[in-house]
Amino acid sequence: MPSDLQVIGAGCGRTGTASLKAALEELLGGPCHHMFEVFKNNQGQMWVDAAAGKADWDRIFDGFVAAVDFPSAAFFDELMVKYPK
């Protein structure tokens, strides 16, 4: 299922992204992708592929309504094109 991110947070880690994640989940009524999810959902290889120019954004963000923190913040320009909403 294609993802439809509503918010893409481009801020660096250690700048309140965990609090922002919690706030966005409350406001948007769905999960927000954060570095926590990379480990929790075993997404390491997906992000290695993204760094190599072979990103499957819909697979990475399936079920998420927002994204904050690294690694998604490093790809904010690509994500803004993919998810212009």
Coordinates of all heavy atoms in Angstrom, one line a residue:
M1 N 0.8 -1.2 0.0 CA 0.0 0.0 0.0 C 0.9 1.2 0.0 O 1.8 1.4 0.8 CB -0.9 0.0 1.2 CG -1.6 1.3 1.5 SD -2.5 1.3 3.0 CE -4.1 1.6 2.4
P2 N 0.6 2.2 -0.9 CA 1.4 3.4 -0.9 C 1.2 4.2 0.3 O 0.1 4.3 0.9 CB 0.9 4.1 -2.1 CG 0.2 3.1 -3.0 CD -0.3 2.1 -2.0
S3 N 2.3 4.8 0.8 CA 2.2 5.7 1.9 C 1.8 7.1 1.5 O 1.8 7.4 0.3 CB 3.6 5.8 2.6 OG 3.6 6.8 3.6
D4 N 1.3 7.9 2.4 CA 0.9 9.2 2.1 C 1.3 10.1 3.2 O 0.5 10.6 4.0 CB -0.6 9.3 1.8 CG -1.1 10.6 1.2 OD1 -0.2 11.3 0.6 OD2 -2.3 10.9 1.2
L5 N 2.6 10.4 3.3 CA 3.1 11.2 4.4 C 2.5 12.6 4.3 O 2.4 13.2 3.3 CB 4.6 11.4 4.3 CG 5.4 10.1 4.6 CD1 6.9 10.4 4.5 CD2 5.1 9.5 5.9
Q6 N 2.0 13.1 5.5 CA 1.4 14.4 5.6 C 2.4 15.4 6.1 O 2.3 16.6 5.8 CB 0.2 14.4 6.5 CG -0.9 13.5 6.0 CD -2.1 13.4 7.0 OE1 -2.4 14.3 7.6 NE2 -2.6 12.2 7.2
V7 N 3.4 15.0 6.9 CA 4.4 15.9 7.4 C 5.7 15.2 7.3 O 5.9 14.0 7.6 CB 4.1 16.2 8.9 CG1 5.2 17.0 9.5 CG2 2.8 16.9 9.1
I8 N 6.7 16.0 6.8 CA 8.1 15.5 6.7 C 8.9 16.5 7.5 O 9.1 17.7 7.2 CB 8.6 15.5 5.2 CG1 7.7 14.6 4.4 CG2 10.1 15.2 5.2 CD1 7.8 14.9 2.9
G9 N 9.4 16.0 8.7 CA 10.3 16.8 9.5 C 11.7 16.8 9.1 O 12.3 15.7 9.0
A10 N 12.3 17.9 8.8 CA 13.7 17.9 8.3 C 14.7 18.3 9.3 O 15.9 18.5 9.0 CB 13.8 18.9 7.1
G11 N 14.3 18.3 10.6 CA 15.2 18.6 11.7 C 16.2 17.5 12.0 O 15.9 16.3 11.8
C12 N 17.3 17.9 12.5 CA 18.3 16.9 12.9 C 17.9 16.2 14.2 O 17.1 16.7 15.0 CB 19.7 17.6 13.2 SG 20.3 18.4 11.8
G13 N 18.5 15.0 14.4 CA 18.2 14.2 15.6 C 18.7 15.0 16.8 O 19.5 15.9 16.7
R14 N 18.3 14.6 18.0 CA 18.6 15.2 19.3 C 18.2 16.7 19.4 O 18.8 17.5 20.0 CB 20.1 15.1 19.5 CG 20.8 13.8 19.4 CD 20.2 12.7 20.3 NE 20.0 13.1 21.7 CZ 19.1 12.6 22.5 NH1 18.3 11.7 22.1 NH2 19.0 13.1 23.7
T15 N 17.1 17.0 18.6 CA 16.5 18.4 18.7 C 15.1 18.3 19.0 O 14.3 19.2 18.6 CB 16.7 19.1 17.3 OG1 16.1 18.3 16.3 CG2 18.2 19.3 17.0
G16 N 14.7 17.3 19.8 CA 13.3 17.2 20.2 C 12.4 16.4 19.3 O 11.2 16.5 19.3
T17 N 13.1 15.6 18.4 CA 12.3 14.8 17.5 C 11.4 13.7 18.1 O 10.3 13.4 17.6 CB 13.2 14.2 16.4 OG1 14.2 13.3 17.1 CG2 13.9 15.2 15.6
A18 N 11.8 13.2 19.2 CA 10.9 12.2 19.9 C 9.6 12.9 20.4 O 8.5 12.3 20.3 CB 11.6 11.5 21.0
S19 N 9.7 14.1 20.9 CA 8.6 14.9 21.4 C 7.7 15.2 20.2 O 6.5 15.2 20.2 CB 9.0 16.1 22.1 OG 9.7 15.8 23.3
L20 N 8.4 15.7 19.1 CA 7.6 16.0 17.9 C 6.9 14.8 17.3 O 5.8 14.9 16.9 CB 8.6 16.6 16.8 CG 8.0 17.0 15.5 CD1 6.9 18.0 15.7 CD2 9.1 17.5 14.5
K21 N 7.6 13.6 17.3 CA 6.9 12.4 16.9 C 5.6 12.1 17.7 O 4.6 11.9 17.1 CB 7.9 11.2 17.1 CG 7.3 9.8 16.9 CD 8.3 8.8 17.3 CE 7.8 7.4 17.4 NZ 7.0 6.9 16.4
A22 N 5.7 12.2 19.0 CA 4.5 12.0 19.9 C 3.4 13.0 19.5 O 2.3 12.7 19.5 CB 4.9 12.1 21.3
A23 N 3.8 14.3 19.4 CA 2.8 15.3 19.1 C 2.1 15.1 17.7 O 0.9 15.2 17.6 CB 3.5 16.7 19.1
L24 N 2.9 14.7 16.7 CA 2.4 14.5 15.4 C 1.4 13.2 15.4 O 0.4 13.2 14.7 CB 3.5 14.3 14.3 CG 4.2 15.6 14.0 CD1 5.4 15.2 13.1 CD2 3.3 16.5 13.3
E25 N 1.8 12.2 16.1 CA 1.0 11.0 16.2 C -0.4 11.4 16.9 O -1.4 10.9 16.4 CB 1.7 9.9 17.0 CG 2.8 9.3 16.2 CD 3.6 8.3 17.0 OE1 3.6 8.2 18.2 OE2 4.3 7.6 16.3
E26 N -0.4 12.3 17.9 CA -1.6 12.7 18.5 C -2.4 13.6 17.5 O -3.6 13.4 17.4 CB -1.3 13.5 19.8 CG -2.5 13.9 20.6 CD -3.1 12.8 21.3 OE1 -2.5 11.7 21.6 OE2 -4.4 12.9 21.6
L27 N -1.8 14.5 16.9 CA -2.5 15.4 16.0 C -3.0 14.8 14.7 O -4.1 15.1 14.3 CB -1.6 16.6 15.6 CG -1.3 17.6 16.8 CD1 -0.2 18.5 16.3 CD2 -2.5 18.3 17.2
L28 N -2.2 13.9 14.2 CA -2.6 13.3 12.9 C -3.3 11.9 13.0 O -3.8 11.4 12.0 CB -1.3 13.1 12.0 CG -0.6 14.4 11.7 CD1 0.7 14.1 10.9 CD2 -1.5 15.3 10.9
G29 N -3.3 11.4 14.2 CA -4.0 10.1 14.4 C -3.4 8.9 13.8 O -4.1 7.9 13.5
G30 N -2.1 8.9 13.6 CA -1.4 7.8 13.0 C 0.1 7.8 13.4 O 0.6 8.7 14.0
P31 N 0.8 6.7 13.0 CA 2.2 6.6 13.4 C 3.1 7.6 12.7 O 2.9 7.9 11.5 CB 2.6 5.2 13.2 CG 1.6 4.7 12.2 CD 0.4 5.5 12.4
C32 N 4.2 8.0 13.3 CA 5.2 8.9 12.8 C 6.5 8.1 12.7 O 6.9 7.6 13.7 CB 5.3 10.2 13.6 SG 6.6 11.3 13.1
H33 N 7.1 8.1 11.6 CA 8.4 7.4 11.4 C 9.5 8.2 12.1 O 9.6 9.4 12.0 CB 8.7 7.2 9.9 CG 9.8 6.2 9.7 ND1 11.2 6.6 9.8 CD2 9.8 4.9 9.4 CE1 11.9 5.6 9.5 NE2 11.1 4.5 9.3
H34 N 10.4 7.5 12.8 CA 11.5 8.1 13.5 C 12.6 7.0 13.5 O 12.4 5.9 13.1 CB 11.0 8.3 15.0 CG 12.0 9.0 15.9 ND1 13.1 8.4 16.5 CD2 12.0 10.3 16.3 CE1 13.7 9.3 17.2 NE2 13.1 10.5 17.1
M35 N 13.8 7.4 13.8 CA 14.9 6.4 13.9 C 14.6 5.2 14.7 O 15.0 4.1 14.4 CB 16.2 7.1 14.4 CG 17.4 6.1 14.5 SD 17.9 5.5 13.0 CE 19.4 6.4 12.7
F36 N 13.7 5.4 15.7 CA 13.2 4.2 16.5 C 12.7 3.1 15.6 O 12.9 1.9 15.8 CB 12.1 4.6 17.4 CG 12.4 5.7 18.4 CD1 11.4 6.6 18.8 CD2 13.7 5.8 19.0 CE1 11.7 7.6 19.7 CE2 14.0 6.8 19.9 CZ 13.0 7.7 20.3
E37 N 12.0 3.5 14.5 CA 11.3 2.5 13.6 C 12.4 1.7 12.8 O 12.1 0.6 12.4 CB 10.3 3.2 12.7 CG 8.9 3.3 13.3 CD 8.9 4.2 14.5 OE1 9.5 5.3 14.5 OE2 8.4 3.8 15.6
V38 N 13.5 2.4 12.5 CA 14.5 1.7 11.7 C 15.0 0.4 12.4 O 15.1 -0.6 11.8 CB 15.7 2.6 11.4 CG1 16.8 1.9 10.7 CG2 15.3 3.8 10.6
F39 N 15.2 0.5 13.7 CA 15.6 -0.6 14.5 C 14.4 -1.6 14.8 O 14.5 -2.8 14.7 CB 16.3 -0.2 15.8 CG 17.5 0.6 15.5 CD1 17.5 2.0 15.7 CD2 18.6 0.0 15.0 CE1 18.7 2.7 15.4 CE2 19.8 0.7 14.7 CZ 19.8 2.1 14.9
K40 N 13.3 -1.0 15.2 CA 12.1 -1.7 15.6 C 11.6 -2.6 14.5 O 11.1 -3.7 14.7 CB 11.0 -0.7 16.1 CG 9.7 -1.4 16.5 CD 8.8 -0.3 17.0 CE 7.4 -0.8 17.2 NZ 6.4 0.3 17.5
N41 N 11.6 -2.0 13.2 CA 11.0 -2.7 12.1 C 12.1 -3.3 11.1 O 11.8 -3.6 10.0 CB 10.1 -1.8 11.3 CG 9.0 -1.3 12.1 OD1 8.3 -2.0 12.9 ND2 8.7 0.0 12.1
N42 N 13.3 -3.4 11.6 CA 14.4 -4.0 10.8 C 14.5 -3.4 9.4 O 14.5 -4.1 8.4 CB 14.2 -5.5 10.8 CG 15.5 -6.2 10.4 OD1 16.6 -5.7 10.6 ND2 15.4 -7.4 9.7
Q43 N 14.6 -2.0 9.4 CA 14.6 -1.3 8.1 C 16.0 -0.9 7.7 O 16.2 -0.2 6.7 CB 13.8 0.0 8.2 CG 12.3 -0.2 8.3 CD 11.6 1.1 8.2 OE1 12.1 2.1 8.5 NE2 10.3 1.0 7.9
G44 N 17.0 -1.4 8.3 CA 18.4 -1.0 8.0 C 18.8 -1.2 6.5 O 19.3 -0.2 5.9
Q45 N 18.5 -2.3 5.9 CA 18.8 -2.5 4.5 C 18.0 -1.6 3.6 O 18.5 -1.1 2.6 CB 18.6 -4.0 4.1 CG 19.1 -4.3 2.7 CD 20.6 -4.0 2.5 OE1 21.5 -4.4 3.3 NE2 21.0 -3.2 1.5
M46 N 16.8 -1.3 4.0 CA 16.0 -0.4 3.1 C 16.6 1.0 3.1 O 16.6 1.6 2.0 CB 14.6 -0.3 3.7 CG 13.7 -1.5 3.5 SD 12.0 -1.2 3.9 CE 11.9 -2.0 5.5
W47 N 17.2 1.4 4.2 CA 17.9 2.7 4.2 C 19.2 2.7 3.5 O 19.7 3.7 2.9 CB 18.0 3.2 5.6 CG 16.6 3.7 6.1 CD1 15.7 3.0 6.9 CD2 15.9 4.9 5.7 NE1 14.6 3.8 7.0 CE2 14.7 4.9 6.3 CE3 16.3 6.0 4.9 CZ2 13.8 6.0 6.2 CZ3 15.4 7.0 4.7 CH2 14.2 7.0 5.4
V48 N 19.9 1.6 3.6 CA 21.2 1.4 2.8 C 20.8 1.5 1.3 O 21.5 2.2 0.6 CB 21.9 0.1 3.1 CG1 23.0 -0.2 2.2 CG2 22.4 0.1 4.6
D49 N 19.8 0.9 0.9 CA 19.3 1.0 -0.5 C 19.0 2.4 -0.8 O 19.3 2.9 -1.9 CB 18.1 0.0 -0.7 CG 18.5 -1.4 -0.6 OD1 19.7 -1.8 -0.6 OD2 17.5 -2.2 -0.5
A50 N 18.3 3.1 0.0 CA 17.9 4.5 -0.2 C 19.2 5.3 -0.4 O 19.2 6.2 -1.3 CB 17.1 5.0 0.9
A51 N 20.2 5.1 0.4 CA 21.4 5.9 0.3 C 22.1 5.6 -1.0 O 22.9 6.4 -1.6 CB 22.3 5.6 1.5
A52 N 21.9 4.4 -1.6 CA 22.5 4.0 -2.9 C 21.6 4.4 -4.1 O 21.9 4.1 -5.2 CB 22.7 2.5 -2.9
G53 N 20.6 5.2 -3.8 CA 19.7 5.7 -4.9 C 18.6 4.7 -5.3 O 18.0 4.9 -6.3
K54 N 18.3 3.7 -4.5 CA 17.3 2.7 -4.8 C 16.3 2.7 -3.7 O 15.9 1.6 -3.2 CB 18.0 1.3 -5.0 CG 19.0 1.3 -6.1 CD 19.6 -0.1 -6.2 CE 20.8 -0.1 -5.3 NZ 21.6 -1.3 -5.3
A55 N 15.7 3.8 -3.4 CA 14.8 3.9 -2.3 C 13.4 3.4 -2.7 O 12.9 3.6 -3.8 CB 14.6 5.3 -1.8
D56 N 12.7 2.7 -1.8 CA 11.4 2.2 -2.0 C 10.6 3.0 -0.9 O 10.3 2.4 0.2 CB 11.2 0.7 -1.9 CG 9.8 0.3 -2.2 OD1 8.9 1.1 -2.2 OD2 9.6 -1.0 -2.3
W57 N 10.3 4.2 -1.1 CA 9.7 5.1 -0.1 C 8.4 4.5 0.4 O 8.1 4.6 1.6 CB 9.6 6.5 -0.6 CG 10.9 7.2 -0.9 CD1 11.2 7.8 -2.1 CD2 12.0 7.3 -0.1 NE1 12.5 8.3 -2.1 CE2 13.0 8.0 -0.9 CE3 12.3 7.0 1.2 CZ2 14.3 8.3 -0.3 CZ3 13.6 7.3 1.7 CH2 14.5 7.9 1.0
D58 N 7.6 4.1 -0.5 CA 6.3 3.6 -0.1 C 6.4 2.4 0.8 O 5.6 2.2 1.8 CB 5.4 3.2 -1.3 CG 4.9 4.4 -2.0 OD1 4.8 5.5 -1.4 OD2 4.6 4.3 -3.2
R59 N 7.4 1.5 0.6 CA 7.6 0.4 1.5 C 8.2 0.9 2.9 O 7.7 0.4 3.9 CB 8.6 -0.6 0.9 CG 8.9 -1.8 1.7 CD 9.7 -2.8 0.9 NE 10.2 -3.9 1.8 CZ 11.4 -4.4 1.8 NH1 12.3 -3.9 0.9 NH2 11.7 -5.3 2.7
I60 N 9.1 1.8 2.8 CA 9.7 2.3 4.1 C 8.6 3.0 4.9 O 8.5 2.8 6.2 CB 10.8 3.3 3.8 CG1 12.0 2.6 3.2 CG2 11.2 4.1 5.1 CD1 13.1 3.5 2.7
F61 N 7.8 3.8 4.3 CA 6.8 4.6 5.1 C 5.4 4.0 5.1 O 4.4 4.7 5.5 CB 6.8 6.0 4.6 CG 8.1 6.7 4.8 CD1 8.8 7.1 3.7 CD2 8.5 7.0 6.0 CE1 10.0 7.8 3.9 CE2 9.7 7.7 6.2 CZ 10.5 8.0 5.1
D62 N 5.2 2.7 4.7 CA 3.9 2.1 4.7 C 3.3 2.2 6.1 O 3.9 1.7 7.1 CB 4.1 0.6 4.3 CG 2.7 -0.1 4.2 OD1 1.7 0.6 3.8 OD2 2.7 -1.3 4.5
G63 N 2.1 2.8 6.1 CA 1.4 2.9 7.4 C 1.7 4.1 8.2 O 1.1 4.4 9.2
F64 N 2.7 4.9 7.8 CA 3.1 6.1 8.5 C 2.4 7.4 7.9 O 2.3 7.5 6.7 CB 4.6 6.3 8.5 CG 5.3 5.2 9.3 CD1 5.8 4.1 8.7 CD2 5.5 5.4 10.7 CE1 6.5 3.1 9.4 CE2 6.1 4.4 11.4 CZ 6.6 3.3 10.8
V65 N 2.1 8.3 8.8 CA 1.5 9.6 8.3 C 2.4 10.7 8.4 O 2.2 11.8 7.9 CB 0.2 9.9 9.1 CG1 -0.9 8.9 8.9 CG2 0.5 10.1 10.6
A66 N 3.6 10.5 9.0 CA 4.6 11.6 9.1 C 6.0 10.9 9.3 O 6.1 9.7 9.6 CB 4.3 12.5 10.3
A67 N 7.0 11.7 9.2 CA 8.4 11.3 9.4 C 9.2 12.4 10.0 O 9.1 13.5 9.5 CB 9.0 10.8 8.1
V68 N 10.0 12.1 11.0 CA 10.9 13.0 11.6 C 12.2 12.3 11.9 O 12.2 11.1 11.9 CB 10.3 13.7 12.9 CG1 9.1 14.4 12.6 CG2 10.0 12.6 14.0
D69 N 13.2 13.0 12.2 CA 14.5 12.5 12.6 C 15.3 11.9 11.5 O 14.8 11.8 10.3 CB 14.3 11.5 13.8 CG 15.6 11.2 14.6 OD1 16.2 12.2 15.1 OD2 16.0 10.0 14.8
F70 N 16.5 11.4 11.8 CA 17.3 10.7 10.8 C 16.8 9.3 10.7 O 16.3 8.8 11.7 CB 18.8 10.7 11.3 CG 19.7 10.3 10.3 CD1 20.2 11.1 9.3 CD2 20.2 9.0 10.3 CE1 21.1 10.7 8.3 CE2 21.1 8.5 9.4 CZ 21.5 9.4 8.4
P71 N 16.8 8.6 9.6 CA 17.4 9.0 8.4 C 16.5 9.7 7.4 O 17.0 10.3 6.4 CB 17.8 7.7 7.8 CG 16.9 6.7 8.3 CD 16.5 7.2 9.7
S72 N 15.2 9.8 7.7 CA 14.3 10.5 6.7 C 14.7 11.9 6.5 O 14.5 12.5 5.4 CB 12.8 10.3 7.1 OG 12.6 10.8 8.4
A73 N 15.1 12.6 7.5 CA 15.5 14.0 7.4 C 16.6 14.2 6.4 O 16.6 15.3 5.7 CB 15.9 14.6 8.8
A74 N 17.5 13.3 6.2 CA 18.5 13.4 5.2 C 18.0 13.3 3.8 O 18.7 13.7 2.9 CB 19.6 12.3 5.4
F75 N 16.8 12.9 3.6 CA 16.2 12.7 2.3 C 15.0 13.6 2.1 O 14.2 13.4 1.2 CB 15.8 11.3 2.1 CG 16.9 10.3 2.1 CD1 17.3 9.7 3.3 CD2 17.6 10.0 0.9 CE1 18.3 8.7 3.3 CE2 18.6 9.1 0.9 CZ 19.0 8.4 2.1
F76 N 14.9 14.7 2.9 CA 13.7 15.5 2.9 C 13.4 16.1 1.5 O 12.2 16.2 1.1 CB 13.8 16.7 3.9 CG 14.7 17.8 3.4 CD1 14.2 18.9 2.7 CD2 16.1 17.8 3.7 CE1 15.0 19.9 2.3 CE2 16.9 18.9 3.3 CZ 16.3 19.9 2.6
D77 N 14.4 16.4 0.7 CA 14.2 17.0 -0.6 C 13.5 15.9 -1.6 O 12.5 16.3 -2.3 CB 15.5 17.5 -1.3 CG 16.6 16.5 -1.2 OD1 16.6 15.5 -0.5 OD2 17.6 16.8 -1.9
E78 N 14.0 14.7 -1.5 CA 13.3 13.6 -2.3 C 11.9 13.3 -1.8 O 11.0 13.1 -2.6 CB 14.2 12.4 -2.2 CG 15.5 12.4 -2.9 CD 16.3 11.1 -2.8 OE1 15.7 10.1 -3.0 OE2 17.5 11.2 -2.5
L79 N 11.8 13.3 -0.5 CA 10.5 13.0 0.1 C 9.4 14.1 -0.2 O 8.3 13.8 -0.4 CB 10.6 12.8 1.6 CG 11.4 11.6 2.0 CD1 11.6 11.5 3.5 CD2 10.8 10.3 1.5
M80 N 9.9 15.4 -0.3 CA 8.9 16.5 -0.6 C 8.4 16.3 -2.0 O 7.3 16.6 -2.3 CB 9.6 17.8 -0.4 CG 9.8 18.2 1.0 SD 10.6 19.8 1.4 CE 10.7 20.6 -0.1
V81 N 9.2 15.8 -2.9 CA 8.8 15.5 -4.3 C 7.8 14.3 -4.3 O 6.8 14.4 -5.0 CB 10.0 15.3 -5.2 CG1 9.5 14.8 -6.6 CG2 10.8 16.6 -5.3
K82 N 8.2 13.3 -3.6 CA 7.4 12.1 -3.6 C 6.1 12.3 -2.9 O 5.0 11.7 -3.3 CB 8.2 10.9 -2.9 CG 7.4 9.6 -2.7 CD 7.2 8.9 -3.9 CE 6.5 7.5 -3.6 NZ 6.0 6.9 -4.8
Y83 N 6.1 13.0 -1.8 CA 4.9 13.2 -1.0 C 4.6 14.7 -0.9 O 4.8 15.3 0.2 CB 5.0 12.6 0.4 CG 5.4 11.2 0.4 CD1 6.7 10.7 0.7 CD2 4.4 10.2 0.0 CE1 7.0 9.4 0.6 CE2 4.7 8.9 0.0 CZ 6.0 8.4 0.3 OH 6.3 7.1 0.2
P84 N 4.1 15.4 -1.9 CA 3.9 16.8 -1.9 C 2.8 17.4 -1.0 O 2.7 18.5 -0.7 CB 3.6 17.2 -3.4 CG 3.0 15.9 -3.9 CD 3.7 14.8 -3.2
K85 N 1.9 16.5 -0.6 CA 0.8 16.9 0.3 C 1.3 17.5 1.5 O 0.9 18.4 2.1 CB 0.0 15.6 0.6 CG -1.3 15.9 1.3 CD -2.1 14.6 1.5 CE -3.4 14.8 2.2 NZ -4.1 13.6 2.4

